[in-house]
């Protein structure tokens, strides 16, 4: 008899995200077990405990999900988990702290599609401002876009913090192969003059890009906002917009709202959770894989 | 319709063990509920909460599993569960902290079997050392071996006092006759193992306890068993799947054989699976601890 699918869900936070639990169940995991307040130092023990109780055949029906709120911590936990495997005793692991990896992937993939369909171009060489970009979604989006060839600047209220995050993106998440730069929110009027793309990934309910700044952006093509709570993070882009012209943009920029991004995010997370169920060899999934499946989803559903 | 089977998993630690969760699911429980950071004085209330929400018929589809890392506490929690039952509202309870009871039962049963096959001896004829003797698996191994009659020493790698305290505390509780020992260096280990018949290695995963050069000084060794499946393995010369294979690194101990972690693991797996299964099929509630585990492990090997 085939053994039931079990997903062990680890988070450093006090609670799991009910979003992730629903997603896991809907992707086909029969049982999702929570481990909360997990210390990164406990990951090895938990992983090795999980891998030795099933035969290698049934380990394919076992998985580990890493949540939490901190991007670096989640990536470190993913690495620790991978190194804790004792082949052939190994299972798939998927990190998606705060859903940030799949959200960022959904946003960047949606932006890329608009660049292609409306402007016949790609992310390669584009200047991108990640406004409110020091949080988990901003970080992951910056790395994904930079890996696709864009020049990304993370904008934060404190330049020093933005610089630390940018360095983390370049060196840690980008493995030193990309360069993400930083800028202060106070200087965004200057930066917007050369920006092709804007990501708004700040806290909910804060306007990061005003109508005035949009009007002053001569080459702006796409602006994407992950905030679903009014006021919108980008003036004129509402949650339902999906490639709609932004009123007042002199460059003909289009907007992508939170619900349009959310749909791609949902598909990406669902697809990665399913990939863990169906893979023959263990997989270790993070933002790069989320971007791949988000792109595939949009390509398959083009037109 | 038959009610779904539910296993309530009480754990005094911050996390339930993923190992136990996989095992419980695979043994056929439909729903697993983890309870972490459970204190001993909450067990009575939690148990009564669990037994009164289902009719006595439904109670057979309900079980309690006790995890953790502390053997004494697990047995206390098992007792607290038992006291909380109000027949006919009663459910089965199985204590297996860190899987230690089933791992230890499997280890001792495997070693016992090889002892009989290769040396025609029983545990009560033998002396035994338990390395990693103050951890959960080590302590349970020691208690089981000692109750079965082996003259057993729990060996700590840092402190003789710790080992003696642990031995005394568990002797009082379970009527075993454990002694404490300590071996910090290879020289101390070489000296210690010289005249012992049995060596159990129950130290942490990924740590080599006995190297080939230490094993050379073993002169009376008959069977050695290791539970560490993460390289480097606990005893040099024993491979993970060994089951009574000649232990050539113990070159001065005639006929010494080894039992490896996956051989023990197979028995442990079957044992834990059968014990979880017994909870699902029994007509009268069961209260299972290391004694039941050892009895069952002997049947399995």
């Amino acid at each position: 008899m085939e053994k039931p699918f079990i997903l062990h869900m680890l988070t450093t936070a006090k609670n799991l995200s009910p979003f992730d639990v629903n997603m896991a169940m809907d992707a086909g995991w029969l049982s999702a077990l929570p481990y909360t307040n997990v210390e990164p130092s406990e990951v090895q023990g938990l992983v090795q405990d999980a891998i030795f109780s099933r035969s290698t055949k049934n380990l394919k029906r076992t998985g580990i999900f890493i949540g939490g709120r901190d991007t670096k911590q989640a990536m470190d936990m993913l690495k620790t988990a991978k190194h804790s495997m004792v082949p052939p005793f190994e299972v798939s692991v998927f990190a998606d702290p705060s859903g940030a990896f799949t959200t960022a992937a959904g946003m960047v993939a949606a932006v890329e599609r608009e660049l292609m369909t409306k402007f016949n171009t790609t992310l390669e060489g584009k200047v991108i401002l990640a406004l409110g970009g020091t949080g988990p979604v901003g970080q992951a989006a910056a790395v994904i876009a930079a890996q696709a060839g864009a020049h990304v600047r993370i904008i934060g209220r404190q330049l020093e913090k933005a610089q630390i995050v940018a360095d983390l993106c370049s060196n840690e998440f980008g493995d030193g192969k990309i360069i993400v730069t930083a800028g202060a929110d106070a200087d965004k009027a200057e930066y917007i003059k050369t920006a092709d793309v804007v990501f708004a990934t700040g806290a909910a309910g804060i306007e990061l890009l005003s109508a005035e700044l949009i009007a002053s952006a001569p080459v702006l093509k796409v602006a994407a906002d992950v905030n679903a709570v009014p006021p919108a993070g980008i003036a004129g882009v509402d949650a339902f917009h999906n490639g709609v012209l932004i009123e007042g943009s002199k460059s003909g920029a289009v907007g992508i709202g939170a619900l349009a991004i959310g749909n791609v995010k949902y598909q990406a997370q669902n697809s990665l959770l399913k990939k863990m169920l169906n893979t023959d060899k263990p997989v270790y999934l993070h933002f790069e894989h989320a971007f791949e499946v988000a792109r595939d989803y949009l390509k398959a559903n083009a037109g | 319709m038959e009610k779904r089977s539910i296993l309530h998993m009480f754990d005094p630690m911050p996390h339930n063990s993923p190992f136990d969760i996989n095992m419980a699911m695979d043994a056929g429980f439909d729903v697993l509920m983890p309870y972490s950071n459970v204190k001993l004085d909450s067990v009575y209330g939690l148990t009564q909460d669990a037994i009164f929400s289902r009719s006595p018929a439904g109670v057979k589809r309900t079980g309690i599993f006790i995890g953790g890392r502390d053997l004494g506490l697990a047995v206390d929690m098992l007792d607290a569960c038992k006291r909380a039952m109000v027949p006919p509202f009663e459910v089965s309870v199985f204590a297996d902290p860190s899987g230690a009871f089933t791992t230890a039962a499997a280890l001792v049963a495997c070693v016992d079997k090889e002892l009989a096959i290769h040396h025609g001896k029983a545990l009560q004829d033998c002396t035994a050392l338990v390395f990693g003797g103050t951890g959960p698996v080590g302590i349970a191994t020691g208690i089981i071996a000692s109750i079965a009659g082996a003259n057993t020493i729990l060996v700590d790698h840092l402190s003789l006092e710790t080992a003696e305290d642990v031995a005394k505390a568990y002797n009082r509780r379970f009527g075993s006759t454990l002694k404490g020992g300590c071996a910090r260096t290879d020289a101390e280990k070489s000296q210690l193992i010289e005249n012992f018949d049995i060596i159990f290695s129950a130290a942490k995963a990924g740590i080599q306890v006995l190297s080939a050069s230490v094993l050379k000084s073993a002169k009376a060794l008959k069977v050695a068993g290791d539970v560490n499946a993460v390289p480097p393995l606990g005893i040099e010369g024993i491979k993970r799947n060994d089951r009574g294979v000649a232990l050539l690194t113990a070159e001065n101990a005639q006929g010494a054989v080894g039992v490896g972690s996956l051989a023990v693991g197979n028995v442990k797996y079957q044992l834990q699976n059968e014990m979880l299964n017994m909870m699902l099929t029994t007509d009268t509630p069961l209260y299972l601890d290391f004694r039941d585990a050892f009895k069952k492990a002997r049947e399995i090997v």
Side-chain angles (χ1 to χ4, degrees):
Chain A
M1 196 192 77
E2 298 232 287
K3 302 281 187 195
F5 286 109
I6 305 175
L7 187 64
H8 299 281
M9 303 184 77
L10 279 48
T11 178
T12 52
K14 217 171 131 188
N15 297 298
L16 282 182
S17 147
F19 190 104
D20 295 335
V21 176
N22 290 347
M23 291 295 294
M25 289 294 185
D26 291 351
W29 292 92
L30 183 83
S31 197
L33 274 300
Y35 302 79
T36 58
N37 292 310
V38 172
E39 301 282 342
S41 62
E42 294 171 324
V43 170
Q44 183 178 356
L46 288 169
V47 168
Q48 294 190 339
D49 222 38
I51 58 176
F52 284 121
S53 44
R54 288 183 138 185
S55 67
T56 49
K57 181 172 141 265
N58 288 311
L59 280 178
K60 285 179 194 154
R61 305 171 72 83
T62 318
I64 294 173
F65 179 87
I66 295 172
R69 300 199 54 80
D70 187 287
T71 319
K72 160 110 169 62
Q73 201 170 51
M75 287 302 284
D76 288 346
M77 286 167 75
L78 178 64
K79 268 184 218 156
T80 306
K82 191 173 172 180
H83 291 143
S84 305
M85 302 300 167
V86 185
F89 296 94
E90 53 185 325
V91 302
S92 292
V93 188
F94 172 23
D96 196 11
S98 296
F101 290 173
T102 44
T103 302
M107 176 172 69
V108 181
V111 165
E112 184 185 52
R113 179 199 56 195
E114 292 307 313
L115 284 173
M116 187 50 77
T117 55
K118 306 276 176 13
F119 300 92
N120 195 28
T121 185
T122 63
L123 286 163
E124 179 78 41
K126 294 297 170 299
V127 174
I128 298 181
L129 297 186
L131 301 179
T134 55
V137 178
Q139 290 171 23
V143 177
I144 294 168
Q147 286 178 337
H151 305 296
V152 185
R153 190 180 296 277
I154 288 179
I155 306 290
R157 271 168 299 184
Q158 299 158 280
L159 178 58
E160 209 175 305
K161 189 183 172 198
Q163 189 59 59
I164 292 169
V165 171
D167 290 344
L168 183 72
C169 289
S170 306
N171 303 323
E172 186 80 25
F173 307 140
D175 222 6
K177 292 178 191 132
I178 54 170
I179 297 171
V180 173
T181 54
D185 198 65
D187 301 329
K188 70 185 167 195
E190 198 49 41
Y191 291 129
I192 197 76
K193 287 179 187 159
T194 53
D196 297 296
V197 172
V198 168
F199 299 153
T201 58
I206 295 173
E207 187 181 87
L208 291 164
L209 194 63
S210 64
E212 253 169 53
L213 285 177
I214 288 172
S216 74
V219 293
L220 185 64
K221 296 171 183 64
V222 186
D225 182 11
V226 296
N227 169 25
V229 182
I234 298 173
V237 177
D238 86 25
F240 291 95
H241 282 178
N242 195 7
V244 176
L245 271 174
I246 304 174
E247 210 177 316
S249 165
K250 290 172 183 151
S251 57
V254 296
I256 305 169
L259 296 181
I261 293 168
N263 178 43
V264 187
K265 176 232 158 66
Y266 175 91
Q267 300 295 343
Q269 192 175 0
N270 181 266
S271 152
L272 292 184
L273 284 162
K274 281 200 172 121
K275 194 179 198 133
M276 297 172 83
L277 289 172
N278 298 324
T279 180
D280 217 41
K281 273 185 60 162
V283 286
Y284 301 95
L285 306 171
H286 54 79
F287 53 85
E288 287 178 27
H289 314 88
F291 186 51
E292 269 169 43
V293 294
R295 262 176 159 174
D296 290 347
Y297 167 73
L298 287 177
K299 265 180 211 147
N301 292 277
Chain B
M1 194 193 78
E2 195 176 32
K3 292 210 166 114
R4 284 186 294 170
S5 55
I6 305 176
L7 187 65
H8 300 280
M9 305 181 79
F10 298 168
D11 202 306
M13 298 292 288
H15 311 295
N16 287 78
S17 146
F19 191 105
D20 297 335
I21 284 169
N22 290 348
M23 291 297 296
M25 208 72 207
D26 292 352
F29 278 94
D30 296 318
V31 179
L32 306 181
M33 281 296 137
Y35 303 76
S36 51
N37 294 307
V38 173
K39 298 207 165 48
L40 177 58
D41 56 15
S42 319
V43 169
Y44 192 87
L46 286 169
T47 304
Q48 292 203 333
D49 243 29
I51 59 177
F52 285 127
S53 48
R54 290 182 137 185
S55 70
V59 160
K60 284 181 192 156
R61 309 283 297 158
T62 315
I64 294 173
F65 180 88
I66 293 168
R69 291 192 59 78
D70 182 326
L71 304 201
L73 178 58
V75 174
D76 286 342
M77 288 172 81
L78 179 66
D79 289 343
C81 283
K82 210 169 164 177
R83 277 199 307 276
M85 301 300 171
V86 185
F89 295 93
E90 212 176 344
V91 303
S92 293
V93 187
F94 173 23
D96 196 10
S98 291
F101 288 173
T102 45
T103 303
L107 173 62
V108 181
C110 286
V111 166
D112 178 45
K113 186 184 173 196
E114 300 310 324
L115 204 55
I117 295 176
H118 294 276
H119 297 276
K121 297 228 176 230
L123 287 165
Q124 65 261 28
D125 312 322
C126 293
T127 54
L129 290 173
V130 186
F131 286 92
T134 52
V137 176
I139 295 170
T141 301
I143 298 170
I144 292 170
S146 171
I147 291 177
N151 197 338
T152 309
I153 295 184
L154 298 180
V155 184
D156 190 75
H157 66 294
L158 292 174
S159 149
L160 177 61
E161 211 187 345
T162 305
E164 284 179 336
D165 287 349
V166 169
K168 263 185 240 157
Y170 285 97
N171 287 344
R172 251 198 319 272
R173 259 204 97 120
F174 299 116
S176 48
T177 55
L178 293 163
K179 292 187 202 70
C182 181
R184 279 167 289 241
T185 60
D186 276 2
E188 288 180 0
K189 287 175 192 167
S190 299
Q191 205 184 358
L192 184 62
I193 67 171
E194 206 177 319
N195 297 313
F196 278 81
D197 302 309
I198 299 170
I199 292 175
F200 298 112
S201 175
K204 256 196 192 147
I207 291 176
Q208 187 185 76
V209 179
L210 300 176
S211 65
S213 68
V214 170
L215 285 164
K216 264 188 210 155
S217 58
K219 303 205 169 62
L221 183 63
K222 295 174 179 57
V223 186
D226 181 20
V227 296
N228 166 21
V230 180
L233 306 179
I235 298 177
E236 192 169 359
I238 302 183
K239 288 189 211 65
R240 290 193 287 194
N241 285 307
D242 282 1
R243 195 167 184 169
V245 175
L247 179 54
L248 302 175
T249 45
E251 54 190 49
N252 297 311
Q254 206 181 352
V257 296
V259 179
S261 56
L262 294 185
V264 175
N266 279 337
V267 175
K268 178 231 160 71
Y269 177 87
Q270 233 188 89
L271 173 62
Q272 194 176 358
N273 186 272
E274 282 188 27
M275 293 183 80
L276 286 160
N277 232 301
M278 278 158 68
M279 299 174 81
L280 283 168
T281 50
T282 182
D283 277 327
T284 51
L286 302 170
Y287 301 95
L288 306 169
D289 69 12
F290 60 88
R291 286 162 277 223
D292 309 278
F294 186 52
K295 214 165 91 191
K296 192 93 196 158
R298 275 186 141 157
E299 287 170 29
I300 291 172
V301 303

